[in-house]
Amino acid sequence: QVQLVESGGGLVQAGGSLRLSCTASGNTISINAMAWYRQAPGKEREWVATINNDGLSNSDLSVKDRFAISRANAKNTVYLHMNRLKAEDTAVYFCRAYTEWDDYWGQGTQVTVSS
């Protein structure tokens, strides 16, 4: 089992920045990759970015030039650095961890961008 706890969300003005954190605990050695997703009100959850154990990352085109995912393996933590935030980035942001046999979700952290 893997447990995930996100933090760092909050209220920010458009154009501002936030850094989200997701810390894994439990059977962390089984994690192959970690990702960020988000879900805006009334919309489906969507993928934002992924990073694997080798540090290779990818992100959705809609955020590629503004968001960056990074990982501190020693801390079992993955970050989402969000810059030049827009009102449409308002959502609950979720962390996801992938193992060979399963995947796990965090409880989410709210990001609200005021215009």
Side-chain angles (χ1 to χ4, degrees):
Q1 292 286 330
V2 173
Q3 295 79 42
L4 303 170
V5 178
E6 302 99 330
S7 61
L11 175 64
V12 63
Q13 289 188 336
S17 299
L18 278 176
R19 188 185 76 166
L20 305 182
S21 301
C22 172
T23 300
S25 60
N27 189 20
T28 59
I29 197 170
S30 67
I31 296 174
N32 296 326
M34 296 180 74
W36 286 98
Y37 284 71
R38 66 184 181 183
Q39 187 167 18
K43 296 188 177 181
E44 293 187 354
R45 191 171 299 187
E46 63 179 9
W47 170 72
V48 176
T50 302
I51 188 165
N52 68 13
N53 285 350
D54 296 324
L56 297 176
S57 64
N58 196 10
S59 56
D60 187 78
L61 288 176
S62 66
V63 302
K64 207 171 188 68
D65 61 340
R66 299 184 296 118
F67 293 7
I69 189 170
S70 65
R71 187 168 180 171
N73 286 336
K75 298 181 179 180
N76 293 317
T77 299
V78 64
Y79 303 99
L80 185 66
H81 309 264
M82 304 187 295
N83 300 305
R84 303 196 305 278
L85 283 160
K86 304 176 182 179
E88 51 262 44
D89 295 320
T90 294
V92 178
Y93 284 72
F94 296 90
C95 180
R96 188 178 187 181
Y98 300 89
T99 69
E100 184 174 353
W101 305 279
D102 212 338
D103 63 279
Y104 302 87
W105 292 90
Q107 82 289 349
T109 184
Q110 176 71 47
V111 172
T112 303
V113 184
S114 63
S115 57

